[in-house]
mmCIF file of all heavy atoms in Angstrom:
data_model
loop_
_atom_site.group_PDB
_atom_site.id
_atom_site.type_symbol
_atom_site.label_atom_id
_atom_site.label_comp_id
_atom_site.label_asym_id
_atom_site.label_seq_id
_atom_site.Cartn_x
_atom_site.Cartn_y
_atom_site.Cartn_z
ATOM 1 N N GLU G 287 12.582 38.078 -9.607
ATOM 2 C CA GLU G 287 12.009 36.733 -9.581
ATOM 3 C C GLU G 287 10.503 36.760 -9.394
ATOM 4 O O GLU G 287 9.774 35.981 -10.014
ATOM 5 C CB GLU G 287 12.652 35.917 -8.446
ATOM 6 C CG GLU G 287 14.113 35.562 -8.684
ATOM 7 C CD GLU G 287 14.295 34.598 -9.846
ATOM 8 O OE1 GLU G 287 13.420 33.736 -10.055
ATOM 9 O OE2 GLU G 287 15.322 34.712 -10.558
ATOM 10 N N VAL G 288 10.023 37.620 -8.522
ATOM 11 C CA VAL G 288 8.601 37.560 -8.150
ATOM 12 C C VAL G 288 7.732 38.600 -8.844
ATOM 13 O O VAL G 288 6.515 38.431 -8.935
ATOM 14 C CB VAL G 288 8.437 37.696 -6.618
ATOM 15 C CG1 VAL G 288 9.212 36.617 -5.899
ATOM 16 C CG2 VAL G 288 8.861 39.079 -6.132
ATOM 17 N N ALA G 289 8.326 39.687 -9.350
ATOM 18 C CA ALA G 289 7.520 40.770 -9.925
ATOM 19 C C ALA G 289 6.659 40.332 -11.109
ATOM 20 O O ALA G 289 5.484 40.731 -11.193
ATOM 21 C CB ALA G 289 8.420 41.937 -10.317
ATOM 22 N N PRO G 290 7.172 39.514 -12.056
ATOM 23 C CA PRO G 290 6.309 39.114 -13.177
ATOM 24 C C PRO G 290 5.058 38.362 -12.731
ATOM 25 O O PRO G 290 3.970 38.581 -13.268
ATOM 26 C CB PRO G 290 7.231 38.215 -14.018
ATOM 27 C CG PRO G 290 8.612 38.695 -13.698
ATOM 28 C CD PRO G 290 8.562 39.053 -12.251
ATOM 29 N N GLU G 291 5.227 37.473 -11.737
ATOM 30 C CA GLU G 291 4.075 36.718 -11.253
ATOM 31 C C GLU G 291 3.082 37.629 -10.531
ATOM 32 O O GLU G 291 1.870 37.550 -10.736
ATOM 33 C CB GLU G 291 4.541 35.609 -10.300
ATOM 34 C CG GLU G 291 5.437 34.559 -10.940
ATOM 35 C CD GLU G 291 4.653 33.626 -11.856
ATOM 36 O OE1 GLU G 291 3.409 33.722 -11.876
ATOM 37 O OE2 GLU G 291 5.288 32.820 -12.553
ATOM 38 N N LEU G 292 3.598 38.490 -9.672
ATOM 39 C CA LEU G 292 2.717 39.404 -8.951
ATOM 40 C C LEU G 292 2.060 40.405 -9.901
ATOM 41 O O LEU G 292 0.904 40.801 -9.706
ATOM 42 C CB LEU G 292 3.503 40.138 -7.862
ATOM 43 C CG LEU G 292 3.962 39.286 -6.678
ATOM 44 C CD1 LEU G 292 4.779 40.121 -5.703
ATOM 45 C CD2 LEU G 292 2.776 38.656 -5.966
ATOM 46 N N GLY G 293 2.801 40.824 -10.934
ATOM 47 C CA GLY G 293 2.223 41.723 -11.928
ATOM 48 C C GLY G 293 1.075 41.068 -12.668
ATOM 49 O O GLY G 293 0.037 41.704 -12.928
ATOM 50 N N ALA G 294 1.240 39.781 -13.002
ATOM 51 C CA ALA G 294 0.169 39.052 -13.685
ATOM 52 C C ALA G 294 -1.053 38.924 -12.790
ATOM 53 O O ALA G 294 -2.197 39.047 -13.246
ATOM 54 C CB ALA G 294 0.666 37.673 -14.106
ATOM 55 N N ILE G 295 -0.835 38.676 -11.491
ATOM 56 C CA ILE G 295 -1.951 38.579 -10.546
ATOM 57 C C ILE G 295 -2.666 39.918 -10.438
ATOM 58 O O ILE G 295 -3.903 39.988 -10.408
ATOM 59 C CB ILE G 295 -1.439 38.108 -9.169
ATOM 60 C CG1 ILE G 295 -0.983 36.651 -9.250
ATOM 61 C CG2 ILE G 295 -2.530 38.257 -8.108
ATOM 62 C CD1 ILE G 295 -0.289 36.149 -8.006
ATOM 63 N N ALA G 296 -1.896 41.000 -10.387
ATOM 64 C CA ALA G 296 -2.493 42.340 -10.313
ATOM 65 C C ALA G 296 -3.325 42.632 -11.555
ATOM 66 O O ALA G 296 -4.421 43.201 -11.471
ATOM 67 C CB ALA G 296 -1.404 43.393 -10.138
ATOM 68 N N GLN G 297 -2.820 42.230 -12.716
ATOM 69 C CA GLN G 297 -3.588 42.422 -13.940
ATOM 70 C C GLN G 297 -4.887 41.627 -13.898
ATOM 71 O O GLN G 297 -5.962 42.145 -14.212
ATOM 72 C CB GLN G 297 -2.778 41.978 -15.158
ATOM 73 C CG GLN G 297 -1.636 42.880 -15.531
ATOM 74 C CD GLN G 297 -0.948 42.398 -16.803
ATOM 75 O OE1 GLN G 297 -1.574 42.301 -17.853
ATOM 76 N NE2 GLN G 297 0.342 42.078 -16.711
ATOM 77 N N ARG G 298 -4.786 40.359 -13.516
ATOM 78 C CA ARG G 298 -5.947 39.467 -13.569
ATOM 79 C C ARG G 298 -7.076 39.912 -12.643
ATOM 80 O O ARG G 298 -8.257 39.834 -13.005
ATOM 81 C CB ARG G 298 -5.517 38.040 -13.214
ATOM 82 C CG ARG G 298 -6.624 36.996 -13.398
ATOM 83 C CD ARG G 298 -6.135 35.611 -13.041
ATOM 84 N NE ARG G 298 -5.023 35.196 -13.862
ATOM 85 C CZ ARG G 298 -5.139 34.624 -15.072
ATOM 86 N NH1 ARG G 298 -6.347 34.420 -15.583
ATOM 87 N NH2 ARG G 298 -4.068 34.271 -15.744
ATOM 88 N N TYR G 299 -6.730 40.389 -11.448
ATOM 89 C CA TYR G 299 -7.757 40.634 -10.449
ATOM 90 C C TYR G 299 -7.979 42.111 -10.117
ATOM 91 O O TYR G 299 -8.909 42.429 -9.382
ATOM 92 C CB TYR G 299 -7.425 39.868 -9.169
ATOM 93 C CG TYR G 299 -7.380 38.388 -9.399
ATOM 94 C CD1 TYR G 299 -6.158 37.714 -9.407
ATOM 95 C CD2 TYR G 299 -8.537 37.658 -9.646
ATOM 96 C CE1 TYR G 299 -6.106 36.349 -9.652
ATOM 97 C CE2 TYR G 299 -8.492 36.301 -9.897
ATOM 98 C CZ TYR G 299 -7.272 35.645 -9.899
ATOM 99 O OH TYR G 299 -7.225 34.301 -10.153
ATOM 100 N N ILE G 300 -7.137 43.000 -10.671
ATOM 101 C CA ILE G 300 -7.298 44.417 -10.335
ATOM 102 C C ILE G 300 -7.468 45.291 -11.577
ATOM 103 O O ILE G 300 -8.422 46.062 -11.674
ATOM 104 C CB ILE G 300 -6.094 44.919 -9.502
ATOM 105 C CG1 ILE G 300 -5.976 44.116 -8.203
ATOM 106 C CG2 ILE G 300 -6.241 46.414 -9.195
ATOM 107 C CD1 ILE G 300 -4.764 44.474 -7.373
ATOM 108 N N THR G 301 -6.546 45.196 -12.528
ATOM 109 C CA THR G 301 -6.527 46.178 -13.622
ATOM 110 C C THR G 301 -7.235 45.731 -14.901
ATOM 111 O O THR G 301 -7.373 46.523 -15.822
ATOM 112 C CB THR G 301 -5.081 46.581 -13.967
ATOM 113 O OG1 THR G 301 -4.374 45.441 -14.487
ATOM 114 C CG2 THR G 301 -4.345 47.117 -12.746
ATOM 115 N N THR G 302 -7.672 44.468 -14.969
ATOM 116 C CA THR G 302 -8.420 44.021 -16.144
ATOM 117 C C THR G 302 -9.670 43.262 -15.718
ATOM 118 O O THR G 302 -9.767 42.789 -14.584
ATOM 119 C CB THR G 302 -7.584 43.089 -17.062
ATOM 120 O OG1 THR G 302 -7.381 41.825 -16.411
ATOM 121 C CG2 THR G 302 -6.255 43.713 -17.425
ATOM 122 N N SER G 303 -10.602 43.153 -16.650
ATOM 123 C CA SER G 303 -11.822 42.382 -16.432
ATOM 124 C C SER G 303 -12.326 41.927 -17.800
ATOM 125 O O SER G 303 -12.181 42.653 -18.788
ATOM 126 C CB SER G 303 -12.886 43.234 -15.731
ATOM 127 O OG SER G 303 -14.068 42.502 -15.521
#
Side-chain angles (χ1 to χ4, degrees):
E287 291 293 326
V288 303
E291 297 287 353
L292 291 178
I295 291 172
Q297 288 183 60
R298 187 180 300 275
Y299 299 107
I300 300 176
T301 65
T302 70
S303 180

